[in-house]
Amino acid sequence: MDTDIDRLIVFDTTLRDGEQAPGCSMTDREKVRVARALAELGVDVIEAGFPAASDGDFESVRLVARTVRGPIICGLARCGGKDIERAWQALQEAERARLHVFIATSPIHRQFKLGLSRDEVLRRAVEGVRAARALCADVEFSAEDAARTEPEYLADVIAAVIDAGATTVNIPDTVGYAVPAEFAERIAYLRENVSGIERAVISVHCHDDLGMAVANSLAAVQAGARQVECTINGIGERAGNCALEEVVMAVRTRADRMPVRTGIDTRRLAATSRLVAAVTGVAVPRNKAVVGENAFAHEAGIHQHGMLRNQETYEIMRPEDVGLGGSRLVLGKHSGRHAFRSRVEALGLALDEAELDRAFIAFKTLADRKKEIFDADIEALVLRSDETGHGPWSLAALRIRSGDGARAFAEVELQHVEGTARRESASGDGPVEAAFRAIERATGIEAELKSFDIRNVTVGEDAQGEAVVTIAQGGRIWQGKGFDTDIIQASALAFLQAVNRICARQGADAAA
Ligand code: KIV
Ligand code: ZN
């Protein structure tokens, strides 16, 4: 390995900025699963959450800090108040911890959000960093909305926080306003005008409002930034954040332009992307760069002809480099627990014994109904058995009557973790609507259906269907996914998962 090449630190904020996005909320168990996958992927820093935001956020950061080894675990905190102490408490059991403090520096945020003068913002930034440094040796400071902050003032703030002990200084384009050349100039300006800048790592955190988060991050790397903040699949506030898989593959593919290396095992990118899509219910578009289903598909005859002669005619990366080796037949009806476990591990789905038991039972049931079991089937059933494993509701039975022009009718039997069972029925324009209505009646949760999609997970007549449901309830958006060879069953499971998320949140709010 060339030791002259700088290391680019990959800071993943899927669990914090990503989870903040509408419809992307995750349960604690899902957060731990994603954090473990991020550790396997090789990210350097996992931003696990914003502990002062709620008791639920505090607990999930604590759980990730306790259970995930390898990357630095980071907690976000505002400068001032009790945020910093709270974040530090949540990080106590981390192998290596980072405190990330922030305050907005742009004129519009100073005036309308904070109502503070320049001097006061600078003073609070310094106090925040000092307070964090008194607790933790690894302190990151973010100047929120840095891209719209006066350059000279930003330079003063960054110099002051480095003096106060910040080890990483983050320059966010919070509203996705910058264009690449301008953002690169901003980084170059700070490198030239901040005394002591060599004592800190320069980081960037770009949002995608104009579709330039990755381009801006790469421009910043070319100008000397050595940490990029990103999320899997680019999920995040509004239009999202810089997509981890894109920025990592860009620096790898264009090392001639960006002489940096990351610690990412790129062969795990596709599986991690699928995991995040599954737990959030936010599907990856087919044409998404790097991990989309069509990213390596060649339809035009002329392209196929070129590919057959030399893959590099139309491919700048190989599908196997990102873990998209195609659908592989891996297991069947006669495969045992040992083979199943090793396949699950190879897919990066770290399961404990109880989870493995549940998933293996689900695998055997599926293998009875489906001849060929592909990797995508295994991922689907692991996530499905995971979801039903932490309720509160699970689907015990679903009976449908439809056809012959009559209204569809559904009867559901739901089992609650506390032992109660409920049976309800409803009619609808079709079997899916009838099933949703019956679940609403049984759980007492009424929601507005926002979207409903169904697609096949793998190929063949007996392929599993994957249903994704988005519903609105209590002013929030909730998503659920369900998998089954029967698409009505998959739809009911997806709806129930979204309802379960509402119940889990109601339970957490009631406990707080
Ligand atoms: O977008 C932003 O500015 C942020 C900061 C808190 C880093 O998310
Ligand atoms: Zn952000």
Side-chain angles (χ1 to χ4, degrees), residues 13 16-17 20 144 172-174 205-207 229 237-238 240-241:
T13 183
R16 200 275 299 168
D17 216 324
Q20 262 168 242
E144 191 187 3
D173 181 15
T174 303
H205 173 113
C206 297
H207 279 267
E229 302 200 354
E237 283 278 9
R238 305 179 310 280
N241 286 62

Side-chain angles (χ1 to χ4, degrees), residues 154-471:
L154 182 64
D156 289 345
V157 173
I158 298 299
V161 295
I162 293 174
D163 265 351
T167 44
T168 300
V169 286
N170 187 32
I171 311 301
D173 181 15
T174 303
V175 291
Y177 178 73
V179 296
E182 173 194 30
F183 200 55
E185 272 167 31
R186 176 59 57 109
I187 302 301
Y189 176 86
L190 293 173
R191 289 184 75 198
E192 273 160 30
N193 293 284
V194 172
S195 67
I197 193 76
E198 67 292 341
R199 285 187 274 131
V201 173
I202 302 179
S203 168
V204 287
H205 173 113
C206 297
H207 279 267
D208 208 30
D209 300 66
L210 292 171
M212 287 187 281
V214 174
N216 285 335
S217 304
L218 294 173
V221 169
Q222 287 179 309
R226 287 297 175 261
Q227 174 175 287
V228 279
E229 302 200 354
C230 39
T231 59
I232 300 292
N233 299 337
I235 62 168
E237 283 278 9
R238 305 179 310 280
N241 286 62
C242 170
L244 182 149
E245 59 281 0
E246 294 180 24
V247 85
V248 164
M249 286 314 286
V251 297
R252 181 182 144 139
T253 309
R254 296 307 310 270
D256 57 326
R257 289 278 166 169
M258 289 159 287
V260 290
R261 67 190 161 83
T262 71
I264 297 294
D265 177 354
T266 62
R267 289 162 310 171
R268 290 195 175 272
L269 285 172
T272 316
S273 157
R274 286 196 296 265
L275 173 67
V276 169
V279 300
T280 57
V282 177
V284 176
R286 277 176 197 270
N287 65 334
K288 164 89 175 60
V290 179
V291 290
E293 231 170 86
N294 288 358
F296 295 91
H298 302 274
E299 189 61 32
I302 198 164
H303 288 202
Q304 289 175 354
H305 181 71
M307 285 287 293
L308 289 174
R309 297 209 156 169
N310 181 340
Q311 218 173 330
E312 286 179 21
T313 50
Y314 286 100
E315 261 177 24
I316 56 167
M317 307 167 262
R318 293 175 313 162
E320 48 277 29
D321 293 340
V322 301
L324 279 173
S327 273
R328 291 211 296 127
L329 169 62
V330 284
L331 297 175
K333 187 169 162 165
H334 302 293
S335 308
R337 198 168 186 280
H338 185 70
F340 180 71
R341 178 203 290 272
S342 40
R343 201 58 220 147
V344 163
E345 282 170 3
L347 288 169
L349 295 163
L351 299 185
D352 62 30
E353 286 308 311
E355 290 167 336
L356 191 82
D357 284 345
R358 272 204 302 276
F360 187 61
I361 292 169
F363 162 71
K364 281 291 181 190
T365 312
L366 182 65
D368 276 340
R369 286 155 60 186
K370 191 171 186 302
K371 280 202 304 287
E372 301 173 323
I373 309 280
F374 297 92
D375 283 350
D377 287 317
I378 296 179
E379 285 169 344
L381 70 84
V382 163
L383 293 163
R384 178 179 127 191
S385 61
D386 191 31
E387 183 58 28
T388 49
H390 66 88
W393 293 104
S394 55
L395 185 63
L398 170 67
R399 282 176 280 277
I400 296 288
R401 236 180 23 237
S402 68
D404 297 334
R407 258 175 95 67
F409 171 86
E411 184 182 71
V412 294
E413 267 177 54
L414 299 188
Q415 186 68 42
H416 195 272
V417 268
E418 282 166 6
T420 47
R422 289 222 187 118
R423 180 184 295 194
E424 280 292 348
S425 55
S427 60
D429 283 342
V432 171
E433 194 198 340
F436 291 178
R437 297 290 81 85
I439 291 172
E440 281 185 328
R441 280 191 186 159
T443 58
I445 302 270
E446 275 185 31
E448 183 194 343
L449 183 65
K450 289 286 188 191
S451 71
F452 168 58
D453 289 300
I454 194 129
R455 66 173 197 117
N456 52 319
V457 175
T458 50
V459 290
E461 281 175 5
D462 59 356
Q464 286 198 88
E466 175 193 70
V468 181
V469 166
T470 308
I471 57 181

